Amino acid sequence: MVMTIREATFKLLRQLGLTTIFGNPGSTEETFLKDFPKDFRYIHTLHEASAVGAADGYAQATRRPALVNLHTSAGVCNAMSNILSARMNQTPLIITAGNQTREMLLMEPWLTNVQPAELPKPWVKWSYEPVRAEDVPAAFMRAYAMALQPPAGPVFLSIPLDDWDKPALGEPVARCVATRIGPDPERVAKFAELLSKAKNPVLIYGAAIARGNGWKQAIALAEKLNAPVWAAPASERPPFPEDHPLYAGGLPFAIGPLAKKLEGHDVAIVIGAPVFRYYPYVEGPYLPNNLHLLHISDDPEETGRAPVGDSMLCDAVLALEALEARVKARSTAPKVKKQAQRMAPQPAAPEPCQCNMLTALELFKTLHEATPAETVLVVESPSNLGELHAAWPVKLPDTLYTFASGSLGWNLPASVGIALAERDSGRNRPVLAIIGDGSMQYSVQGLWTAAQLELPILFVIPKNSEYAILKSFAALEKTTGVPGLDLPGLDLVSLARGYGCEALRVENVDGVRKACAQAFKRLGPTLLEVPILPTIPPLL
């Protein structure tokens, strides 16, 4: 009996270990999903952005690629913000969508993806609609290879809906691909020599170290060099333990302030991050005088666009190992003064208030005390990052996730994927998602999937009833009178209950502690709305 394209494709997906599909079904995808195999699992989301976000979280937490099925051009458009985040997170996703029947493509009927290969660009590494139905299984294999090869990232396949029942050419061909780039011997020797001869070297670590499970290697290089360690600006994954004596904090993400933080150093090396991630324009030199910058990344686009620095293409963790083997040990330890994290150099000073409302800092300290040490944080509350890291230094690897893109709506569904990975792996660490009341609205539908899967996620919503981070930008940019920065009238408890979650509002420390104790014993998600004192943090 001749295999169909569907049978050959599902056989290949089994061989590649891709038996979980995240999606929101549509008419052009039903021919792919019909007679759904019993050994596959479909993770149903209510919106395509949630499908991509959940798959991204799952892929990061399992360190394996994930498969997403969207609905033709409409679904791809809905998902674009989280496709952008997946690309910047360097998450290997195979994103598929149906298209109209081949016989009708010429006349562009309703729900046609008119330019399927162009639509998701530039935020996918490879985008393709097979020329023939017979090419579909091989296209999946190429998509798998492209997604995994460095730098990892999302890829896209468009499949006309009538392809699936056509006969396959034969058995699908599965193959393995390399996922790491090793160091150039001459280049790594030169970098090691410069670090060894430096009078005051500094290390700048990025999220690729965390993605590569490289904390051990990052610590070994830092301790051998006895050099301070900064986290690269706006790192989406902590690359180094924040309680380590050599940890200096997170660099600011603006040109002038960042250069000022590096004054006094003669050699700096950036490993596993861009040079640099900036957002507000604050003029100044890229680097202080007499600083020689070195840059290691597995992404040639990242090294190509860097405005300064000598680069080497290499996997971040392999680079750490190669450098640690070659640098000379330094016996003198630097005096490291820890700086505040990310955007806010200091937690915002609360305005005088007689309302007894919790501050963000008080809330985060309480959450830290009330949750297990191995709790996994998923964070999308931009205006409170200074307070969060002051209250909750990240001490264990793979215990904090956020998004690299700045595009809101990733973290809520990503926490669903991360919690699912915790359950599938048997680690079963608690998952705590801290999401602002404004950020929550971008992918609120993810609450339904968490409830349907009975995932014990605790969603904590610090409710300040405003876009505080935008007010911070308004202050920096001197843009007064901007409309739409306040968020009155949101009932987050009712929203969460409508999606099937347990939900409550608490207003004090005791209430937060009690809610935490109950949430992680519950079968299913809990949403905790906590009003906090509104503050406008300084960005820089």
Side-chain angles (χ1 to χ4, degrees), residues 323-377:
L323 288 170
E324 195 272 333
R326 290 168 175 79
V327 297
K328 293 180 181 178
R330 297 166 60 91
S331 57
T332 306
K335 293 180 180 179
V336 178
K337 181 181 178 182
K338 284 188 172 56
Q339 306 290 318
Q341 300 295 317
R342 308 298 198 277
M343 290 180 278
Q346 300 293 335
E351 298 292 331
C353 178
Q354 304 301 318
C355 57
N356 296 320
M357 192 177 288
L358 288 176
T359 65
L361 185 61
E362 289 170 333
L363 171 60
F364 299 150
K365 283 182 176 179
T366 304
L367 290 170
H368 189 214
E369 293 164 359
T371 52
E374 70 274 16
T375 297
V376 180
L377 279 174

Side-chain angles (χ1 to χ4, degrees), residues 406-478:
S407 181
L408 299 177
W410 179 86
N411 290 54
L412 195 154
S415 68
V416 174
I418 291 165
L420 182 62
E422 286 296 318
R423 187 162 71 188
D424 285 357
S425 68
R427 291 187 301 258
N428 292 313
R429 296 178 299 173
V431 176
L432 168 61
I434 299 175
I435 303 173
D437 51 344
S439 296
M440 174 193 170
Q441 310 310 316
Y442 286 77
S443 289
V444 66
Q445 306 91 341
L447 293 173
W448 181 84
T449 305
Q452 293 297 306
L453 295 174
E454 296 184 331
L455 295 170
I457 306 169
L458 175 57
F459 296 98
V460 175
I461 315 298
K463 186 178 182 182
N464 57 11
S465 298
E466 63 183 5
Y467 292 125
I469 193 65
L470 295 182
K471 291 185 178 182
S472 296
F473 274 99
L476 177 72
E477 296 163 351
K478 297 180 174 58

